[in-house]
Amino acid sequence: MDEKVVNLITEIKNVASLILEKDISNVRGFSERQVEAIAKQTIIIQKGVENGDIDKELKEFFLDDLEAMTTNFVNTLKGILSATIETVWNAIIDVLWKVIDSTVK
């Protein structure tokens, strides 16, 4: 394979990897905190139902809240990942345009 092609492939992989490593690290921290909160909330509800502190009506209220919490978590993840994908796309396009522009000058 042509050396220029190999170098361009490497540069594209490097720029994408740098962005993904940084963003995935941020997502990992966020998701770990959120999953822990969702798990703790679930156990609190379970224990309250088990010991009778939470009746059927209150249980439904807490379950609705837990569902909303989980939905918000997933929607936030989708937004973060969508932004990450766009950042990677922009970075790759920037690399490609620089290569093209360097031949024009």
Side-chain angles (χ1 to χ4, degrees):
M1 191 177 317
D2 183 295
E3 185 179 338
K4 287 182 180 183
V5 173
V6 171
N7 290 339
L8 184 54
I9 291 169
T10 301
E11 190 172 351
I12 290 169
K13 286 180 180 179
N14 287 342
V15 73
S17 293
L18 288 172
I19 292 166
L20 289 171
E21 285 175 22
K22 178 182 154 274
D23 284 6
I24 294 303
S25 174
N26 291 337
V27 168
R28 187 175 293 125
F30 165 76
S31 66
E32 286 174 5
R33 290 186 305 275
Q34 293 300 305
V35 168
E36 181 180 349
I38 291 168
K40 285 181 178 180
Q41 184 75 9
T42 301
I43 298 303
I44 290 168
I45 295 167
Q46 184 265 332
K47 286 180 179 178
V49 169
E50 185 178 296
N51 69 22
D53 289 341
I54 297 176
D55 62 18
K56 184 178 179 179
E57 195 172 287
L58 192 54
K59 176 184 171 186
E60 290 304 314
F61 171 79
F62 284 129
L63 291 178
D64 288 344
D65 189 51
L66 188 61
E67 182 179 341
M69 189 177 182
T70 303
T71 299
N72 289 337
F73 166 64
V74 171
N75 287 337
T76 301
L77 277 181
K78 287 190 317 190
I80 291 170
L81 293 174
S82 178
T84 299
I85 290 167
E86 185 171 340
T87 302
V88 170
W89 183 86
N90 287 331
I92 291 171
I93 291 298
D94 188 49
V95 167
L96 300 176
W97 272 214
K98 283 179 184 176
V99 169
I100 293 168
D101 285 346
S102 71
T103 60
V104 174
K105 295 178 182 177

